[in-house]
Amino acid sequence: MTNSANRFSTLPDADALLEFDQRHIWHPYSSATNPTPTFVVERCEGSYIELSDGKKLIDGMGSWWCTIHGYNHPRLNAAAEKQLKSMSHVMFGGLTHRPAVELCQKLVALTPSNLERVFLADSGSVAVEVALKMAIQYQASRGKSNKAKILTVRRGYHGDTFGAMSTCDPINGMHHLFARSMPTHFFADEPPMGIDRPLTPHDLASARSILEVHHKEIAALIIEPIVQGAGGMRFYSAEYLSALKALCEEFDILMIADEIATGFGRTGQLFAVNHADVQPDIMCLGKAITGGYMTLAATLCSEEVATTISQGEAGVFMHGPTFMGNPLACAVACESIELLLETDWQSNVTRIETKLEELLGPLRSAEYIADVRVLGAIGVVELENSVSLNDIQPALVAEGIWLRPFGKLVYMMPPFNMSDEELSILCKGTANVLEKLHKN
Ligand code: PMP
């Protein structure tokens, strides 16, 4: 054991934790030699993250789209505790259990009516891998093994595993680093921005021309409906999504809706496809599915996809993670969904949308702000220039705010029960920090 490991076991104060952390632990997209500022969290409650020095930060990130009910929710805690008493985990091969069945009942009932089969996965990226494999196995099972490539649009983000990464935007998805090891797919132009922007014939020209030439090689289109998240926080119209679905049908390819970030109310509809009344053939869910308590994801597909795969060469769908259907996660997910549906979540999301527009909208006139856009409980401030995390993160923390900007994007997706007063503190504090950074 190294010195710092020894110290960790005997001296778990915040400084020792941080020292060990910086010496030994990878964080998301982190450098081992030049770590970004990292803060030790002691506890979280409602809309707040409490640091080890007692400082409370108002959380604008919902822990990356997940905590729709806020932290440390008594109902979710109780559901986890109750489930722990019977089993936290049991394998899913040959066994099933109430939490998984109840969760899948809810998912089948709430998602578009054609989606009838659920595959429970461990994380968003795995749910995307599962979706891609489903599409490819489906095509092979109907005698179309050549249809094994994926079509997507630029500026998308679908996860960090190889299959998912290969469908992320080729430029900001860092394809070149892994180019020799990664499958290559087809990229159409990004959707034009603007929720209300009328569709023009040009918008789908690039997707159409790829399909005209390559449809015999393409199994499916994967897309984040309405909101492109980590690839640029871009919002596009329901009309565009519907037109893309029509194109999928015309060229006999499946549509995979990646609702991992948008699912469970974030955009103002329970699922973002509902803005367009589109029925995807496959849908991925994750993040907010457990209310942010633990990792769980799901890939749903139509009966047609499921039965075709099952009547194909393999006779089974070829995927089965160890922690599939984890009962603890399923029990909390059931409770989180019940909680969501019991509350007037849609009014809450509309309230947040109005408040974010009111509080962030005036920033549009600042010279250092390129754009402000708001949809549902998502607020995005796009800066003219990229901001360094080393500068902005400590400044936000000093202001009592937790946000995790990237590049030119300072964005927020608060829990749905964040109060107007808290939203006001969050947005005004963010505006103060941006102005101070601009002046320096
Ligand atoms: N798809 C989308 C749209 C996402 O936003 C994310 C996560 N940011 C993923 C997939 C991957 O999910 P995970 O990080 O749970 O693997």
Side-chain angles (χ1 to χ4, degrees), residues 36-39 51 55 57 387-405 433 436-437:
T36 52
T38 304
F39 305 86
L51 301 182
K55 190 169 180 60
L57 310 178
V387 63
S388 146
L389 215 45
N390 286 337
D391 294 335
I392 196 167
Q393 191 100 75
L396 287 163
V397 167
E399 190 79 26
I401 286 170
W402 184 249
L403 290 177
R404 185 84 176 156
V433 169
K436 265 190 233 156
L437 286 180

Side-chain angles (χ1 to χ4, degrees), residues 177-197:
L177 274 179
F178 302 99
R180 286 167 197 267
S181 322
M182 222 175 42
T184 49
H185 295 305
F186 294 104
F187 291 87
D189 290 348
E190 61 268 36
M193 279 229 269
I195 258 305
D196 298 319
R197 181 186 177 283

Side-chain angles (χ1 to χ4, degrees), residues 65 123-126 128 157-160 224 229-230 258-262 287 295:
W65 311 84
S123 71
S125 299
V126 173
V128 169
Y157 176 81
H158 299 286
D160 290 346
E224 295 154 279
D258 178 350
E259 292 257 9
I260 288 162
T262 48
K287 290 189 182 279
T295 179

Side-chain angles (χ1 to χ4, degrees), residues 21 24 38 51 97 104 124 127 164 167 177 202 217 230 237 242 257 262 265 277 284 287 301 315 374 376-377 383 399:
D21 184 287
H24 295 282
T38 304
L51 301 182
H97 44 77
C104 294
T167 62
L177 274 179
H202 175 75
E217 301 156 61
S237 75
S242 300
T262 48
D277 207 12
C284 303
K287 290 189 182 279
C301 71
V374 174
L383 307 175
E399 190 79 26

Side-chain angles (χ1 to χ4, degrees), residues 33-224:
T33 52
N34 185 21
T36 52
T38 304
F39 305 86
V40 180
V41 179
E42 207 57 51
R43 61 189 309 277
C44 298
E45 178 80 40
S47 302
Y48 289 88
I49 295 174
E50 188 179 324
L51 301 182
S52 55
D53 62 2
K55 190 169 180 60
K56 286 191 179 160
L57 310 178
I58 189 155
D59 176 33
M61 294 301 287
S63 274
W64 275 336
W65 311 84
C66 296
T67 51
I68 50 176
H69 310 294
Y71 296 102
N72 211 355
H73 196 286
R75 287 266 302 270
L76 302 187
N77 290 359
E81 280 163 23
K82 183 168 171 235
Q83 184 55 40
L84 266 177
K85 290 186 180 130
S86 52
M87 61 186 156
S88 60
H89 184 64
V90 65
M91 64 183 280
F92 212 49
L95 298 172
T96 195
H97 44 77
R98 187 176 294 273
V101 174
E102 280 181 7
L103 173 61
C104 294
Q105 271 175 346
K106 290 185 198 312
L107 297 180
V108 168
L110 294 173
T111 54
S113 60
N114 65 316
L115 299 174
E116 295 201 35
R117 295 274 169 170
V118 190
F119 187 102
L120 294 168
D122 350 27
S123 71
S125 299
V126 173
V128 169
E129 297 293 330
V130 165
L132 300 176
K133 285 172 76 174
M134 269 180 187
I136 292 164
Q137 229 191 300
Y138 164 78
Q139 300 293 5
S141 300
R142 61 199 275 260
K144 302 200 174 186
S145 327
N146 283 343
K147 283 170 90 69
K149 294 273 176 199
I150 303 297
L151 171 64
T152 188
V153 290
R154 290 180 186 274
R155 305 298 295 272
Y157 176 81
H158 299 286
D160 290 346
T161 50
F162 270 93
M165 182 171 62
S166 68
T167 62
C168 293
D169 183 84
I171 294 163
N172 64 24
M174 287 301 213
H175 281 197
H176 67 277
L177 274 179
F178 302 99
R180 286 167 197 267
S181 322
M182 222 175 42
T184 49
H185 295 305
F186 294 104
F187 291 87
D189 290 348
E190 61 268 36
M193 279 229 269
I195 258 305
D196 298 319
R197 181 186 177 283
L199 194 69
T200 73
H202 175 75
D203 296 345
L204 289 158
S206 143
R208 173 173 285 283
S209 65
I210 292 172
L211 283 166
E212 273 166 356
V213 181
H214 297 287
H215 66 98
K216 289 193 176 140
E217 301 156 61
I218 297 176
L221 165 90
I222 185 166
I223 190 157
E224 295 154 279

Side-chain angles (χ1 to χ4, degrees), residues 46-47 67-71 73 348 351-352 414-420 422:
S47 302
T67 51
I68 50 176
H69 310 294
Y71 296 102
H73 196 286
N348 251 338
R351 173 185 62 83
I352 293 176
F416 299 167
N417 52 2
M418 185 177 274
S419 70
D420 284 355
E422 290 168 337

